[in-house]
């Protein structure tokens, strides 16, 4: 039993180490990763996105997808919010303040 517990904890540790954090900026009313506008992003199950607001005004990132919903609330320049994606599928991510902001995330 002890061995099994040890094995399970090792498994949990390695899974959390493998999960990646993607940094997506809100910049010029767009989602930006690595200096380019990102309209779709593919992640692995367990990965997360840290949304960082670099605009001098508020953004309110949310998703109403079937897969999962979230609402990060409005947050100002310099603030960030993180979302972890635990299920495979795809979802649309939008901004409640700027309807032109849209990103599709595929989790596999
Ligand atoms: Cu916005």
């Amino acid at each position: 039993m002890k061995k099994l517990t040890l094995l399970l904890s090792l498994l949990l540790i390695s899974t959390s180490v493998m999960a990646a954090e993607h940094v997506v900026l809100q910049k010029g009313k767009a989602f930006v990763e690595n200096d380019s506008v990102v309209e779709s992003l593919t992640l692995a199950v367990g990965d997360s996105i840290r949304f960082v607001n670099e605009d001098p005004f508020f953004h309110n990132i949310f998703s109403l997808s079937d897969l999962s919903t979230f609402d990060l609330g409005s947050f100002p320049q310099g603030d960030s919010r993180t979302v972890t994606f635990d299920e495979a599928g795809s979802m649309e991510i939008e901004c409640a303040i700027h309807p032109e902001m849209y990103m599709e995330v595929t989790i596999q």
Side-chain angles (χ1 to χ4, degrees), residues 48-69:
S48 55
I49 297 179
R50 185 154 61 93
F51 293 95
V52 183
N53 184 356
E54 291 212 334
D55 277 328
F57 39 79
F58 284 78
H59 288 292
N60 184 348
I61 311 303
F62 75 99
S63 180
L64 293 176
S65 301
D66 292 339
L67 188 65
S68 89
T69 64

Side-chain angles (χ1 to χ4, degrees), residues 12-65:
L12 278 176
I13 290 165
S14 55
T15 311
S16 56
V17 167
M18 276 160 54
E21 184 189 66
H22 300 255
V23 176
V24 173
L25 311 178
Q26 288 77 70
K27 206 172 175 182
K29 292 186 191 176
F31 292 108
V32 172
E33 189 187 38
N34 300 325
D35 281 331
S36 29
V37 171
V38 52
E39 286 169 348
S40 66
L41 196 60
T42 301
L43 311 177
V45 172
D47 283 1
S48 55
I49 297 179
R50 185 154 61 93
F51 293 95
V52 183
N53 184 356
E54 291 212 334
D55 277 328
F57 39 79
F58 284 78
H59 288 292
N60 184 348
I61 311 303
F62 75 99
S63 180
L64 293 176
S65 301

Side-chain angles (χ1 to χ4, degrees), residues 62-98:
F62 75 99
S63 180
L64 293 176
S65 301
D66 292 339
L67 188 65
S68 89
T69 64
F70 64 81
D71 184 350
L72 302 182
S74 40
F75 55 101
Q77 183 174 35
D79 264 24
S80 69
R81 300 281 186 274
T82 301
V83 179
T84 303
F85 300 86
D86 291 323
E87 249 186 291
S90 66
M91 52 199 293
E92 300 94 47
I93 293 175
E94 298 166 80
C95 175
I97 302 167
H98 309 103

